[in-house]
Amino acid sequence: GRIITPLKDRFGAEVRTHYPIELSDELAVIRQEAQLAWAGTSVIVPDHLLEIVARYTRLVRESPQVDQRSGVSARFAVASAETVAASAVRRAAVTGEAAAVARVCDLPAVVPASRGKVEFEAAEEGRELEVLAHLLRKATADTFRALLAGVDLSGLQSRFDEGGTLETGDLVPAAQVLADLGPVPGLSALLARLGVEQESPGLAAAALEFALEGLHLNRRLAKDEIAGRTVYAR
């Protein structure tokens, strides 16, 4: 925080620090510091979700709506990653999933959880959650473009071209997402681009949800959110 001028002469030295400069540094801090296991229950947070969290943190840090004097520390990113992981653990506990794997549907939990960790400019009073939600969507879109640029997603999009829909959400298990979506041409290429070496229902559903959200944010799919459920459609 700030030190008032009359007290500054009581310090013999001043050390200036900075936030992580590169995105890779932000990701390294998250991976090192985030607690992703509770009471013996571990959770997998795919790399693409950690990158979304890192980009989200940097966007909040750079936002003109945020009070730059108070700033947004690296702990913000760590806490956001832990919130995403906690949402996945909750889903596994409620639905009985064998493995807790975080998905895009767990990201919205970050917005209300991070509200109290950021100070906004006075003009933004009442719009804090709206601003954070917008920045989270932008971080997701930026990550989609960075990781899946050039990947052929026509096979996935074709599932919706004739009126098909897919319902997902933070309490919808991965197996149900995969069963409702059916076989997807090009899934192996999608998983390979995201660095998924060992396919599992949770990781496959996480990759597909990320692709669907990216298609939506690029206006190639529609999305409705109703009572905690998300429905993708053409």
Side-chain angles (χ1 to χ4, degrees), residues 2 8 11 30 33 37 40 43 51 62 75 78 87 91 117 128 131 134 172 177 181 190-191 195 208 223 231:
R2 290 174 292 169
K8 287 185 178 179
F11 292 85
I30 295 173
E33 300 296 330
V43 55
E51 183 165 333
E62 298 165 0
R75 289 188 297 273
V78 172
S87 178
R91 177 171 56 256
K117 299 178 176 65
E128 297 90 347
V131 170
H134 168 73
V172 178
V177 172
L181 191 57
L190 171 62
L191 294 176
L208 287 168
K223 184 176 82 167
V231 178

Side-chain angles (χ1 to χ4, degrees), residues 56 59 65 111 129-139:
Y56 170 62
L59 287 172
Q65 288 94 351
V111 173
L129 294 179
E130 179 184 341
V131 170
L132 291 172
H134 168 73
L135 295 176
L136 182 60
R137 288 192 297 270
K138 187 177 188 309

Side-chain angles (χ1 to χ4, degrees), residues 81-199:
E82 292 175 345
T83 299
V84 172
S87 178
V89 170
R90 171 176 173 263
R91 177 171 56 256
V94 172
T95 65
E97 282 185 302
V101 180
R103 308 197 314 255
V104 164
C105 60
D106 297 308
L107 288 173
V110 168
V111 173
S114 59
R115 166 62 188 91
K117 299 178 176 65
V118 182
E119 291 188 21
F120 287 81
E121 297 291 350
E124 302 302 326
E125 184 175 356
R127 296 186 59 250
E128 297 90 347
L129 294 179
E130 179 184 341
V131 170
L132 291 172
H134 168 73
L135 295 176
L136 182 60
R137 288 192 297 270
K138 187 177 188 309
T140 305
D142 290 347
T143 304
F144 174 80
R145 285 190 287 268
L147 297 183
L148 296 183
V151 175
D152 183 9
L153 298 176
S154 59
L156 175 60
Q157 190 166 358
S158 67
R159 307 293 299 174
F160 301 87
D161 287 342
E162 297 180 359
T165 62
L166 177 69
E167 182 178 297
T168 183
D170 62 344
L171 291 180
V172 178
Q176 182 176 332
V177 172
L178 296 177
D180 292 345
L181 191 57
V184 176
L187 175 59
S188 58
L190 171 62
L191 294 176
R193 176 62 71 89
L194 294 177
V196 178
E197 298 178 355
Q198 184 175 0
E199 186 175 338

Side-chain angles (χ1 to χ4, degrees), residues 1-2 18-19 26 57-63 65-77 114-121 132:
R2 290 174 292 169
H18 56 78
Y19 298 123
E26 197 95 51
T57 300
R58 296 165 77 82
L59 287 172
V60 174
R61 191 177 292 148
E62 298 165 0
S63 173
Q65 288 94 351
V66 172
D67 185 350
Q68 299 301 321
R69 292 172 298 178
S70 61
V72 178
S73 75
R75 289 188 297 273
F76 179 93
S114 59
R115 166 62 188 91
K117 299 178 176 65
V118 182
E119 291 188 21
F120 287 81
E121 297 291 350
L132 291 172

